[in-house]
Amino acid sequence: MLPEAKLYIDGVLRSAAGGKTYDNIGPWTGQVVGKAADASPEDVNAAIAAARRAFDETDWSTRHSYRHELMTRYRDLLVANRDKLVEIVRHEVGSALGAAHSAQVAGALEGATGLIEAFPSIEWQEDRGRRRQYGFDSDRLVVRESMGVAGAITPWNVPLYVNIGKVVAGLLAGCTMVLKPAPDTPLSGSIMGELAMEAGVPKGVFNVITSSDPTTAGEMLVTDPRVDLITFTGSTGVGKRIMEKGGPTLKRLFLELGGKSANIILDDAPDFAARVMRSIVSFHAGQGCAIATRLLVPRSRYAEAVGALEKAYAGFATKWGDFNDPTCVMGPVISKRQLDRVMSYVELGKREGARLLAGGNTRTDKGGGFFMEPTCFVDVNNKMRIAQEEIFGPVLVVIPFENDDDAVRIANDSEYGLCGVVASGDKERAMRVARRLRTGSVSVNGGMCIAPDLPFGGYKRSGIGREWGREGIEEFLETKAIAIGA
Ligand code: NAD
């Protein structure tokens, strides 16, 4: 059993008012792996009040080097607790060990370091010189200031990674914060509070609310006038609702939403078959916003690509769903609800006329948890719903294209615009395609576009704003112009 996920409010790690808890269900077994405090509206109010007070009544937002030192200490504590974090994401998130040792935990910890390293590059004050304007001579400054109280609402798929991306950036920027993790992954949020307390983060500056109800606590943060900014990662549908609900208080919004990214392998790509084989969707059972879940291959090499995929899926059949294998990157999906949702897309794909090349079944023989096979549809048309909608499971769809223009057209024919992947033997050709993709990040010829010092975020309905790097900290800042009479 995992430790109980507690609330962290005004510097105190505690149970919910009234002591209510809920079950934390483990995806590998479908059984209870822990308990979590089930926050009441009273608790959410207390967290917002504490964050507001800490922002308005302390000097937290103006002590830049102190925050830098404190966040470095916080990062060190997170790193010192690496093994604990790995156990949390394995049991609570259903992460396989291979995924825990990459994006889930290792990537999250590197991300904290990346933000700490980016912090000194923030320009807190810029001298814009003297100017005569409307008859007034002034010496002018542009200063950056902390936005205020930030509500962070996060998903269950890579919870530590997202929590760290928001909390370390927001606290470095001098905001005070209330973190509301997803109901399925409460401990990945609660541990952030526990370690913040240990690091000595002043009371009220950071607060964590866990709740079984997916909407109430989040909507309280979004609608409360005491909260200045919402940083949200999750589905596009909930992102739209947050924009609507945040409207009356004109909330600053920073939204990291869904994706349906295209992996374009051009006809001259070196190691064509091997590249196609590597494109199977397996990492964390496909539950990643940035995973390229649409594979675009040239029609001239389509049969070869399908053959390579058949081989790849056959070879992968025994390499997933092992709790103890450190090389395994795919375990179960998060919940029964998610399993049903993903399986409904498998049925939809069949009805839409795509050909199921591999997988497509749930796997009760893997254990009592929420397992389904890595799945691949070929002969997919980009108009099909399985090509347009985010499935968020281990499902790849394969679409043929005629030429580079057609590949770009198909890739951009999506409401999403998070990431893209391009491969070609001719770097300039690959770059021409990459520049035409309407996405926030692109990997070219095996490059990695996700790194703690690079901004990450979406075009179109994949989001607003950028996380990570200097840009990820700047999302939490306001800009003020000051003119001093000369
Ligand atoms: P979700 O949108 O269902 O929930 C995300 C969070 O929002 C949870 O904490 C949930 O409790 C909360 N929430 C739900 N309804 C709310 C409401 N009305 N008001 C306020 N908060 C509300 O997403 P999920 O199923 O937890 O996560 C999967 C989604 O997250 C996928 O769409 C995935 O692409 C996206 N995601 C995006 C990124 C990115 O950086 N772009 C990263 C990870 C995940």
Side-chain angles (χ1 to χ4, degrees):
M1 287 285 276
L2 293 170
E4 183 175 326
K6 302 264 193 193
L7 310 182
Y8 180 59
I9 300 175
D10 210 6
V12 180
L13 207 55
R14 66 163 172 84
S15 304
K20 224 176 132 201
T21 61
Y22 70 98
D23 290 338
N24 190 354
I25 306 293
W28 291 90
T29 59
Q31 304 295 314
V32 177
V33 291
K35 296 266 176 202
D38 200 355
S40 65
E42 191 187 323
D43 294 313
V44 183
N45 254 320
I48 298 173
R52 189 73 256 170
R53 205 178 323 111
F55 189 82
D56 291 341
E57 297 176 18
T58 76
D59 56 3
W60 170 254
S61 68
T62 53
R63 296 179 68 193
H64 304 329
S65 53
Y66 164 66
R67 294 197 309 273
H68 195 220
E69 278 161 32
L70 193 56
M71 285 302 104
T72 305
R73 199 177 324 146
Y74 189 32
R75 184 273 320 270
D76 292 347
L77 267 173
L78 286 159
V79 170
N81 281 274
R82 180 188 293 262
D83 292 348
K84 200 173 180 180
L85 301 179
V86 166
E87 287 315 294
I88 292 173
V89 300
R90 284 173 93 193
H91 290 282
E92 175 177 274
V93 187
S95 174
L97 257 184
H101 289 306
S102 72
Q104 293 279 6
V105 176
L109 298 175
E110 277 175 42
T113 299
L115 290 166
I116 288 163
E117 287 173 355
F119 186 69
S121 67
I122 303 284
E123 277 204 55
W124 293 96
Q125 181 163 307
E126 195 192 330
D127 187 344
R128 292 284 178 99
R130 182 169 293 184
R131 184 183 166 104
R132 186 171 180 83
Q133 185 73 38
Y134 306 124
F136 297 91
D137 288 318
S138 320
D139 292 322
R140 292 99 37 81
L141 296 174
V142 172
V143 298
R144 312 300 305 277
E145 295 181 346
S146 315
M147 188 84 75
V149 174
I153 303 176
T154 60
W156 45 259
N157 64 321
V158 276
L160 273 175
Y161 180 80
V162 177
N163 291 345
I164 285 178
K166 295 189 185 311
V167 171
V168 174
L171 295 182
L172 276 171
C175 286
T176 58
M177 301 189 78
V178 180
L179 168 68
K180 193 215 80 71
D184 288 314
T185 51
L187 196 55
S188 306
S190 182
I191 188 78
M192 301 281 302
E194 189 182 323
L195 296 179
M197 184 170 75
E198 208 177 319
V201 172
K203 76 188 188 85
V205 160
F206 177 52
N207 306 272
V208 185
I209 290 289
T210 59
S211 162
S212 62
D213 174 343
T215 56
T216 305
E219 291 205 350
M220 283 180 72
L221 289 172
V222 172
T223 52
D224 195 304
R226 293 170 296 177
V227 176
D228 299 290
L229 160 91
I230 293 290
T231 168
F232 169 78
T233 298
S235 60
T236 294
V238 173
K240 287 178 188 172
R241 186 165 171 82
I242 286 177
M243 274 195 99
E244 275 174 35
K245 289 264 170 181
T249 53
L250 225 65
K251 206 69 90 213
R252 294 334 190 228
L253 293 177
F254 163 22
L255 308 173
E256 297 288 347
L257 308 176
K260 189 79 180 179
S261 301
N263 176 1
I264 304 173
I265 305 185
L266 297 174
D267 55 2
D268 64 347
D271 305 321
F272 183 83
R275 220 172 257 283
V276 169
M277 289 175 78
R278 282 199 299 274
S279 66
I280 70 174
V281 172
S282 59
F283 186 82
H284 195 33
Q287 303 166 111
C289 55
I291 295 175
T293 51
R294 288 186 296 155
L295 175 63
L296 274 50
V297 291
R299 193 175 298 280
S300 59
R301 300 188 76 172
Y302 187 67
E304 189 185 345
V306 171
L309 283 167
E310 243 164 347
K311 209 164 131 197
Y313 277 94
F316 193 71
T318 56
K319 295 196 177 134
W320 66 278
D322 184 337
F323 186 77
N324 291 312
D325 179 353
T327 66
C328 176
V329 295
M330 170 165 165
V333 298
I334 184 78
S335 61
K336 175 74 170 57
R337 185 186 67 246
Q338 187 66 7
L339 183 64
D340 291 346
R341 182 174 181 275
V342 179
M343 287 304 293
S344 76
Y345 275 103
V346 173
E347 292 312 311
L348 175 68
K350 292 179 194 165
R351 285 201 305 279
E352 287 186 303
R355 179 159 68 91
L356 187 61
L357 184 79
N361 301 300
T362 55
R363 287 288 292 271
T364 47
D365 60 313
K366 290 272 182 193
F370 314 118
F371 296 95
M372 70 168 287
E373 292 168 341
T375 297
C376 177
F377 279 107
V378 294
D379 302 347
V380 175
N381 170 326
N382 201 52
K383 293 276 173 268
M384 291 177 184
R385 281 179 56 200
I386 57 165
Q388 288 291 330
E389 296 176 18
E390 185 183 46
I391 297 174
F392 225 56
V395 182
L396 176 70
V397 302
V398 185
I399 305 169
F401 63 82
E402 305 301 334
N403 51 37
D404 294 13
D405 285 348
D406 196 37
V408 170
R409 181 191 63 75
I410 295 169
N412 286 339
D413 176 21
S414 170
E415 72 170 38
Y416 295 110
L418 198 55
C419 297
V421 182
V422 187
S424 165
D426 175 350
K427 187 176 139 202
E428 291 313 312
R429 181 182 175 198
M431 284 299 291
R432 280 195 296 277
V433 170
R435 288 185 198 282
R436 291 170 68 192
L437 296 182
R438 301 275 302 148
T439 62
S441 312
V442 189
S443 290
V444 174
N445 286 347
M448 172 46 72
C449 61
I450 299 176
D453 60 342
L454 289 180
F456 179 80
Y459 281 25
K460 300 193 273 182
R461 276 163 246 175
S462 285
I464 298 174
R466 293 293 178 268
E467 203 140 58
W468 301 111
R470 193 188 67 234
E471 292 85 350
I473 301 171
E474 286 174 345
E475 291 288 347
F476 293 90
L477 301 178
E478 285 280 19
T479 301
K480 178 184 279 178
I482 303 178
I484 308 154

